[in-house]
Amino acid sequence: MFRRIMVFVLLAAAVISMADLLDEIRSRGVLRVGQDAGYMPLYGSDESGNRIGFEVDLARKMAEILGVKLQFVIVNWDGIIPALISGKFDIIFSGMTITPERALRVDFTDPYLTVGQTVLYNTRRFSSPPSYEDLRNMKGLRVTVQLGTTGDEAAKRLFPNAQILRFDTMDEAAYQVASGKADIMVVDSIYARYMANKYSNLSVTGELLTRENLGIAVRRGNLEFLHWLNTFIRWARTSGLIEELKEKWGVEAE
Amino acid sequence: MTKGGLAEDILTSQLLKENKNEKLKRLFRRSLTFVVIVLLGALIYLSIAKVYPFNWTTVLRYRRLFITGILVTLKLSAASMGISLGLGLVFAVMRTSKMELLNEIASLYVWVFRNMPLLVVILLTYYGVGNILDLSRFWAAVFALSAFEGAYMTEIIRSGIEAVDSGEIEAARSLGMSDFQIFSSIVFLQAIRISLPPLIGQMISLVKDSSLASVIALNELTMIGRQVGTSSFATFESYITVAVIYLLMTSVLSYLGRFLERRLMLP
């Protein structure tokens, strides 16, 4: 008897684990989206704590089509991939650059935006936009980044002589530059331009140090769900939804 | 040689033998525990390795980063230990002094820093005080840690001072010693000896608490661990390394503490 129960339980477990994430989300009735604190205008929180931004609107649309509720799970950026793998949420929709290293641990969708790393600087520190060459040769340059981002990687590679200061959130890293505690921040162009528009003492050098594609990440092996997400992204591109949301949130990217 | 003497000799030799046996037994028990712990650890490790492919070579490639992290943590801890001990001594003396004002100031200090989270103290020091005084990250962390741990040390040393036998103080007074003489030659050293074990405990806390300095982007051990974790994707390995290094550092401290306690044994 006990054996039979065990066999049944194991079979049931096997069937459940075979069901794709897409079915699981629909039967659960909730799509859980993993993000970190903020990357405006892609995502962030308004004064009353509601999630807002370009990606938040896209995720809303996604949930609407799936016919499920939307739930955001906020974690630290350096723990976002481990959190996805351990099942804290279903997707990382958090302005994540597609890199081959990350793709060893998670599966990526097609890109929905193309950005690049750029330099955010304080206009009181530099009266004219500093060129990459100038910055590279500066002794003791203090560069802030968000821990574990592609900006972190780019800064390490592009400014080997600089002192790199790593913060949990983008806003903390940008604040260091705004308050003169650091010289520049290496960050995605979308965020840099948004901050430069918002604060008068911040500006962007304009030159892109890298070019990167942003994609949605899912746990490896959920091919059906991955396929659905790709369909969604292609549709959002052709239907003009992405263009419309870029306009709405002032996203300056391709 | 009398008969009694012989019996005594036999008895002592037997005692020595038993003592030796006891030592051997203890050694055996200890090594048995050690083997069991190692086996258990290996079992846990291997069962995790089944689902999580450990990759130690990537962590090994970052060894130089880990070394800089260890050095920053050591420097941060050492500087904070010195300053917090100084603060603890000064405020403990104030706290036990008969002058009302000094007593109140010391109480205020202890009240403020024992009732605030260390993280908030660090942020306040770096973004608040640091902005005005133009403090570097490192010194902001040192001052925050020192002020915070100093409050605990104040209370530890104060209780040490109060634990000194009042009879000794009365005796000294009746011998005509001044208050300062009494404090410096009778109370102080005894108080330090009494508060040594909890002080060492507080130092160990300090080393562990120094990890919070990573919030202001100080490159100490925890920050390095997070950085290696994100750039190598070997998160688990990186944090295990960090944990083991902290364990080693604090173990050295507690060993040192035990050694000091034995050297300064109370009569």
Side-chain angles (χ1 to χ4, degrees), chain A residues 105-128:
Chain A
R105 312 190 69 208
V106 295
D107 284 342
F108 281 106
T109 62
D110 293 342
Y112 54 88
L113 282 178
T114 300
V115 301
Q117 295 301 318
T118 189
V119 170
L120 183 71
Y121 65 94
N122 192 323
T123 48
R124 276 187 297 233
R125 173 82 173 76
F126 300 98
S127 47
S128 61

PDB file of all heavy atoms in Angstrom, chain A residues 105-128:
ATOM      1  N   ARG A 105      23.174  30.370 -17.165  1.00  0.00           N
ATOM      2  CA  ARG A 105      22.388  30.075 -15.962  1.00  0.00           C
ATOM      3  C   ARG A 105      20.906  30.286 -16.164  1.00  0.00           C
ATOM      4  O   ARG A 105      20.099  29.674 -15.484  1.00  0.00           O
ATOM      5  CB  ARG A 105      22.884  30.950 -14.799  1.00  0.00           C
ATOM      6  CG  ARG A 105      24.409  30.904 -14.672  1.00  0.00           C
ATOM      7  CD  ARG A 105      24.870  31.546 -13.414  1.00  0.00           C
ATOM      8  NE  ARG A 105      24.480  30.748 -12.271  1.00  0.00           N
ATOM      9  CZ  ARG A 105      24.255  31.256 -11.070  1.00  0.00           C
ATOM     10  NH1 ARG A 105      24.384  32.539 -10.896  1.00  0.00           N
ATOM     11  NH2 ARG A 105      23.911  30.473 -10.073  1.00  0.00           N
ATOM     12  N   VAL A 106      20.531  31.182 -17.077  1.00  0.00           N
ATOM     13  CA  VAL A 106      19.111  31.433 -17.343  1.00  0.00           C
ATOM     14  C   VAL A 106      18.913  31.504 -18.853  1.00  0.00           C
ATOM     15  O   VAL A 106      19.872  31.656 -19.605  1.00  0.00           O
ATOM     16  CB  VAL A 106      18.646  32.768 -16.705  1.00  0.00           C
ATOM     17  CG1 VAL A 106      18.710  32.703 -15.201  1.00  0.00           C
ATOM     18  CG2 VAL A 106      19.460  33.939 -17.223  1.00  0.00           C
ATOM     19  N   ASP A 107      17.666  31.381 -19.293  1.00  0.00           N
ATOM     20  CA  ASP A 107      17.361  31.528 -20.717  1.00  0.00           C
ATOM     21  C   ASP A 107      16.872  32.945 -20.977  1.00  0.00           C
ATOM     22  O   ASP A 107      16.114  33.499 -20.175  1.00  0.00           O
ATOM     23  CB  ASP A 107      16.262  30.540 -21.139  1.00  0.00           C
ATOM     24  CG  ASP A 107      16.807  29.131 -21.274  1.00  0.00           C
ATOM     25  OD1 ASP A 107      18.032  28.986 -21.385  1.00  0.00           O
ATOM     26  OD2 ASP A 107      16.001  28.185 -21.250  1.00  0.00           O
ATOM     27  N   PHE A 108      17.306  33.523 -22.112  1.00  0.00           N
ATOM     28  CA  PHE A 108      16.879  34.883 -22.455  1.00  0.00           C
ATOM     29  C   PHE A 108      15.916  34.882 -23.637  1.00  0.00           C
ATOM     30  O   PHE A 108      16.037  34.057 -24.543  1.00  0.00           O
ATOM     31  CB  PHE A 108      18.092  35.750 -22.825  1.00  0.00           C
ATOM     32  CG  PHE A 108      18.847  36.248 -21.641  1.00  0.00           C
ATOM     33  CD1 PHE A 108      20.078  35.707 -21.303  1.00  0.00           C
ATOM     34  CD2 PHE A 108      18.323  37.272 -20.853  1.00  0.00           C
ATOM     35  CE1 PHE A 108      20.773  36.173 -20.203  1.00  0.00           C
ATOM     36  CE2 PHE A 108      19.016  37.740 -19.754  1.00  0.00           C
ATOM     37  CZ  PHE A 108      20.243  37.187 -19.429  1.00  0.00           C
ATOM     38  N   THR A 109      15.002  35.858 -23.617  1.00  0.00           N
ATOM     39  CA  THR A 109      14.127  36.070 -24.767  1.00  0.00           C
ATOM     40  C   THR A 109      14.869  36.880 -25.814  1.00  0.00           C
ATOM     41  O   THR A 109      16.017  37.276 -25.610  1.00  0.00           O
ATOM     42  CB  THR A 109      12.890  36.886 -24.355  1.00  0.00           C
ATOM     43  OG1 THR A 109      13.338  38.167 -23.902  1.00  0.00           O
ATOM     44  CG2 THR A 109      12.109  36.193 -23.268  1.00  0.00           C
ATOM     45  N   ASP A 110      14.186  37.165 -26.909  1.00  0.00           N
ATOM     46  CA  ASP A 110      14.723  38.110 -27.895  1.00  0.00           C
ATOM     47  C   ASP A 110      14.833  39.472 -27.223  1.00  0.00           C
ATOM     48  O   ASP A 110      14.109  39.767 -26.279  1.00  0.00           O
ATOM     49  CB  ASP A 110      13.770  38.234 -29.086  1.00  0.00           C
ATOM     50  CG  ASP A 110      13.696  36.933 -29.875  1.00  0.00           C
ATOM     51  OD1 ASP A 110      14.603  36.098 -29.700  1.00  0.00           O
ATOM     52  OD2 ASP A 110      12.727  36.763 -30.624  1.00  0.00           O
ATOM     53  N   PRO A 111      15.721  40.330 -27.718  1.00  0.00           N
ATOM     54  CA  PRO A 111      15.839  41.659 -27.110  1.00  0.00           C
ATOM     55  C   PRO A 111      14.615  42.536 -27.364  1.00  0.00           C
ATOM     56  O   PRO A 111      13.983  42.426 -28.415  1.00  0.00           O
ATOM     57  CB  PRO A 111      17.077  42.256 -27.771  1.00  0.00           C
ATOM     58  CG  PRO A 111      17.319  41.444 -28.974  1.00  0.00           C
ATOM     59  CD  PRO A 111      16.757  40.092 -28.736  1.00  0.00           C
ATOM     60  N   TYR A 112      14.265  43.358 -26.383  1.00  0.00           N
ATOM     61  CA  TYR A 112      13.169  44.317 -26.575  1.00  0.00           C
ATOM     62  C   TYR A 112      13.680  45.753 -26.615  1.00  0.00           C
ATOM     63  O   TYR A 112      12.950  46.656 -26.996  1.00  0.00           O
ATOM     64  CB  TYR A 112      12.080  44.138 -25.517  1.00  0.00           C
ATOM     65  CG  TYR A 112      12.574  44.188 -24.090  1.00  0.00           C
ATOM     66  CD1 TYR A 112      12.678  45.398 -23.416  1.00  0.00           C
ATOM     67  CD2 TYR A 112      12.947  43.037 -23.432  1.00  0.00           C
ATOM     68  CE1 TYR A 112      13.146  45.445 -22.118  1.00  0.00           C
ATOM     69  CE2 TYR A 112      13.420  43.072 -22.142  1.00  0.00           C
ATOM     70  CZ  TYR A 112      13.516  44.276 -21.486  1.00  0.00           C
ATOM     71  OH  TYR A 112      13.991  44.315 -20.205  1.00  0.00           O
ATOM     72  N   LEU A 113      14.936  45.978 -26.191  1.00  0.00           N
ATOM     73  CA  LEU A 113      15.533  47.312 -26.286  1.00  0.00           C
ATOM     74  C   LEU A 113      17.027  47.137 -26.502  1.00  0.00           C
ATOM     75  O   LEU A 113      17.611  46.136 -26.073  1.00  0.00           O
ATOM     76  CB  LEU A 113      15.334  48.115 -24.993  1.00  0.00           C
ATOM     77  CG  LEU A 113      13.997  48.773 -24.686  1.00  0.00           C
ATOM     78  CD1 LEU A 113      14.081  49.456 -23.328  1.00  0.00           C
ATOM     79  CD2 LEU A 113      13.610  49.787 -25.753  1.00  0.00           C
ATOM     80  N   THR A 114      17.647  48.101 -27.172  1.00  0.00           N
ATOM     81  CA  THR A 114      19.097  48.094 -27.305  1.00  0.00           C
ATOM     82  C   THR A 114      19.645  49.354 -26.638  1.00  0.00           C
ATOM     83  O   THR A 114      19.180  50.461 -26.926  1.00  0.00           O
ATOM     84  CB  THR A 114      19.522  48.053 -28.786  1.00  0.00           C
ATOM     85  OG1 THR A 114      18.987  46.861 -29.355  1.00  0.00           O
ATOM     86  CG2 THR A 114      21.033  48.033 -28.927  1.00  0.00           C
ATOM     87  N   VAL A 115      20.590  49.166 -25.725  1.00  0.00           N
ATOM     88  CA  VAL A 115      21.148  50.302 -24.988  1.00  0.00           C
ATOM     89  C   VAL A 115      22.665  50.238 -25.085  1.00  0.00           C
ATOM     90  O   VAL A 115      23.211  49.448 -25.854  1.00  0.00           O
ATOM     91  CB  VAL A 115      20.731  50.286 -23.505  1.00  0.00           C
ATOM     92  CG1 VAL A 115      19.230  50.325 -23.384  1.00  0.00           C
ATOM     93  CG2 VAL A 115      21.299  49.077 -22.794  1.00  0.00           C
ATOM     94  N   GLY A 116      23.340  51.073 -24.308  1.00  0.00           N
ATOM     95  CA  GLY A 116      24.793  51.010 -24.238  1.00  0.00           C
ATOM     96  C   GLY A 116      25.231  51.588 -22.908  1.00  0.00           C
ATOM     97  O   GLY A 116      24.467  52.307 -22.260  1.00  0.00           O
ATOM     98  N   GLN A 117      26.441  51.271 -22.487  1.00  0.00           N
ATOM     99  CA  GLN A 117      26.966  51.880 -21.273  1.00  0.00           C
ATOM    100  C   GLN A 117      27.448  53.279 -21.616  1.00  0.00           C
ATOM    101  O   GLN A 117      28.047  53.489 -22.663  1.00  0.00           O
ATOM    102  CB  GLN A 117      28.124  51.063 -20.702  1.00  0.00           C
ATOM    103  CG  GLN A 117      27.722  49.689 -20.229  1.00  0.00           C
ATOM    104  CD  GLN A 117      26.679  49.745 -19.153  1.00  0.00           C
ATOM    105  OE1 GLN A 117      26.746  50.565 -18.243  1.00  0.00           O
ATOM    106  NE2 GLN A 117      25.672  48.876 -19.242  1.00  0.00           N
ATOM    107  N   THR A 118      27.188  54.222 -20.727  1.00  0.00           N
ATOM    108  CA  THR A 118      27.641  55.575 -20.966  1.00  0.00           C
ATOM    109  C   THR A 118      28.099  56.192 -19.654  1.00  0.00           C
ATOM    110  O   THR A 118      27.981  55.579 -18.598  1.00  0.00           O
ATOM    111  CB  THR A 118      26.522  56.401 -21.638  1.00  0.00           C
ATOM    112  OG1 THR A 118      27.040  57.643 -22.061  1.00  0.00           O
ATOM    113  CG2 THR A 118      25.371  56.630 -20.694  1.00  0.00           C
ATOM    114  N   VAL A 119      28.636  57.397 -19.752  1.00  0.00           N
ATOM    115  CA  VAL A 119      29.207  58.040 -18.569  1.00  0.00           C
ATOM    116  C   VAL A 119      28.287  59.156 -18.085  1.00  0.00           C
ATOM    117  O   VAL A 119      27.946  60.064 -18.841  1.00  0.00           O
ATOM    118  CB  VAL A 119      30.617  58.605 -18.869  1.00  0.00           C
ATOM    119  CG1 VAL A 119      31.108  59.473 -17.723  1.00  0.00           C
ATOM    120  CG2 VAL A 119      31.589  57.471 -19.131  1.00  0.00           C
ATOM    121  N   LEU A 120      27.879  59.061 -16.820  1.00  0.00           N
ATOM    122  CA  LEU A 120      27.092  60.116 -16.190  1.00  0.00           C
ATOM    123  C   LEU A 120      28.068  60.934 -15.335  1.00  0.00           C
ATOM    124  O   LEU A 120      28.833  60.349 -14.567  1.00  0.00           O
ATOM    125  CB  LEU A 120      26.013  59.479 -15.302  1.00  0.00           C
ATOM    126  CG  LEU A 120      25.032  60.390 -14.593  1.00  0.00           C
ATOM    127  CD1 LEU A 120      24.072  60.993 -15.600  1.00  0.00           C
ATOM    128  CD2 LEU A 120      24.237  59.605 -13.550  1.00  0.00           C
ATOM    129  N   TYR A 121      28.068  62.263 -15.512  1.00  0.00           N
ATOM    130  CA  TYR A 121      29.040  63.057 -14.747  1.00  0.00           C
ATOM    131  C   TYR A 121      28.361  64.284 -14.147  1.00  0.00           C
ATOM    132  O   TYR A 121      27.246  64.650 -14.530  1.00  0.00           O
ATOM    133  CB  TYR A 121      30.223  63.469 -15.633  1.00  0.00           C
ATOM    134  CG  TYR A 121      29.872  64.414 -16.766  1.00  0.00           C
ATOM    135  CD1 TYR A 121      29.995  65.796 -16.612  1.00  0.00           C
ATOM    136  CD2 TYR A 121      29.410  63.932 -17.979  1.00  0.00           C
ATOM    137  CE1 TYR A 121      29.667  66.660 -17.641  1.00  0.00           C
ATOM    138  CE2 TYR A 121      29.066  64.794 -19.009  1.00  0.00           C
ATOM    139  CZ  TYR A 121      29.201  66.151 -18.837  1.00  0.00           C
ATOM    140  OH  TYR A 121      28.856  67.006 -19.841  1.00  0.00           O
ATOM    141  N   ASN A 122      29.085  64.905 -13.221  1.00  0.00           N
ATOM    142  CA  ASN A 122      28.588  66.084 -12.538  1.00  0.00           C
ATOM    143  C   ASN A 122      29.100  67.319 -13.280  1.00  0.00           C
ATOM    144  O   ASN A 122      30.299  67.441 -13.520  1.00  0.00           O
ATOM    145  CB  ASN A 122      29.118  66.078 -11.091  1.00  0.00           C
ATOM    146  CG  ASN A 122      28.429  67.097 -10.233  1.00  0.00           C
ATOM    147  OD1 ASN A 122      28.097  68.194 -10.689  1.00  0.00           O
ATOM    148  ND2 ASN A 122      28.207  66.756  -8.971  1.00  0.00           N
ATOM    149  N   THR A 123      28.193  68.234 -13.659  1.00  0.00           N
ATOM    150  CA  THR A 123      28.614  69.392 -14.460  1.00  0.00           C
ATOM    151  C   THR A 123      29.476  70.354 -13.651  1.00  0.00           C
ATOM    152  O   THR A 123      30.193  71.178 -14.213  1.00  0.00           O
ATOM    153  CB  THR A 123      27.390  70.160 -14.998  1.00  0.00           C
ATOM    154  OG1 THR A 123      26.490  70.365 -13.917  1.00  0.00           O
ATOM    155  CG2 THR A 123      26.700  69.383 -16.093  1.00  0.00           C
ATOM    156  N   ARG A 124      29.393  70.264 -12.311  1.00  0.00           N
ATOM    157  CA  ARG A 124      30.264  71.123 -11.503  1.00  0.00           C
ATOM    158  C   ARG A 124      31.683  70.562 -11.451  1.00  0.00           C
ATOM    159  O   ARG A 124      32.640  71.274 -11.217  1.00  0.00           O
ATOM    160  CB  ARG A 124      29.699  71.264 -10.091  1.00  0.00           C
ATOM    161  CG  ARG A 124      28.644  72.363 -10.010  1.00  0.00           C
ATOM    162  CD  ARG A 124      28.247  72.573  -8.584  1.00  0.00           C
ATOM    163  NE  ARG A 124      27.627  71.367  -8.067  1.00  0.00           N
ATOM    164  CZ  ARG A 124      26.440  71.345  -7.477  1.00  0.00           C
ATOM    165  NH1 ARG A 124      25.770  72.447  -7.269  1.00  0.00           N
ATOM    166  NH2 ARG A 124      25.930  70.223  -7.041  1.00  0.00           N
ATOM    167  N   ARG A 125      31.794  69.248 -11.681  1.00  0.00           N
ATOM    168  CA  ARG A 125      33.111  68.589 -11.662  1.00  0.00           C
ATOM    169  C   ARG A 125      33.788  68.743 -13.029  1.00  0.00           C
ATOM    170  O   ARG A 125      34.978  69.003 -13.113  1.00  0.00           O
ATOM    171  CB  ARG A 125      32.906  67.116 -11.307  1.00  0.00           C
ATOM    172  CG  ARG A 125      34.123  66.237 -11.394  1.00  0.00           C
ATOM    173  CD  ARG A 125      34.985  66.360 -10.132  1.00  0.00           C
ATOM    174  NE  ARG A 125      36.068  65.387 -10.146  1.00  0.00           N
ATOM    175  CZ  ARG A 125      37.162  65.519 -10.904  1.00  0.00           C
ATOM    176  NH1 ARG A 125      37.292  66.554 -11.695  1.00  0.00           N
ATOM    177  NH2 ARG A 125      38.122  64.616 -10.853  1.00  0.00           N
ATOM    178  N   PHE A 126      33.006  68.550 -14.107  1.00  0.00           N
ATOM    179  CA  PHE A 126      33.531  68.698 -15.462  1.00  0.00           C
ATOM    180  C   PHE A 126      32.692  69.756 -16.175  1.00  0.00           C
ATOM    181  O   PHE A 126      31.488  69.568 -16.358  1.00  0.00           O
ATOM    182  CB  PHE A 126      33.419  67.387 -16.250  1.00  0.00           C
ATOM    183  CG  PHE A 126      34.160  66.239 -15.638  1.00  0.00           C
ATOM    184  CD1 PHE A 126      33.491  65.308 -14.850  1.00  0.00           C
ATOM    185  CD2 PHE A 126      35.522  66.079 -15.833  1.00  0.00           C
ATOM    186  CE1 PHE A 126      34.175  64.239 -14.277  1.00  0.00           C
ATOM    187  CE2 PHE A 126      36.199  65.013 -15.266  1.00  0.00           C
ATOM    188  CZ  PHE A 126      35.525  64.093 -14.487  1.00  0.00           C
ATOM    189  N   SER A 127      33.331  70.872 -16.591  1.00  0.00           N
ATOM    190  CA  SER A 127      32.558  71.949 -17.215  1.00  0.00           C
ATOM    191  C   SER A 127      32.151  71.571 -18.644  1.00  0.00           C
ATOM    192  O   SER A 127      31.114  71.989 -19.135  1.00  0.00           O
ATOM    193  CB  SER A 127      33.344  73.253 -17.197  1.00  0.00           C
ATOM    194  OG  SER A 127      34.653  73.007 -17.633  1.00  0.00           O
ATOM    195  N   SER A 128      32.995  70.770 -19.328  1.00  0.00           N
ATOM    196  CA  SER A 128      32.599  70.271 -20.644  1.00  0.00           C
ATOM    197  C   SER A 128      32.637  68.743 -20.591  1.00  0.00           C
ATOM    198  O   SER A 128      33.353  68.178 -19.760  1.00  0.00           O
ATOM    199  CB  SER A 128      33.560  70.782 -21.715  1.00  0.00           C
ATOM    200  OG  SER A 128      34.856  70.309 -21.442  1.00  0.00           O
TER     201      SER A 128
END
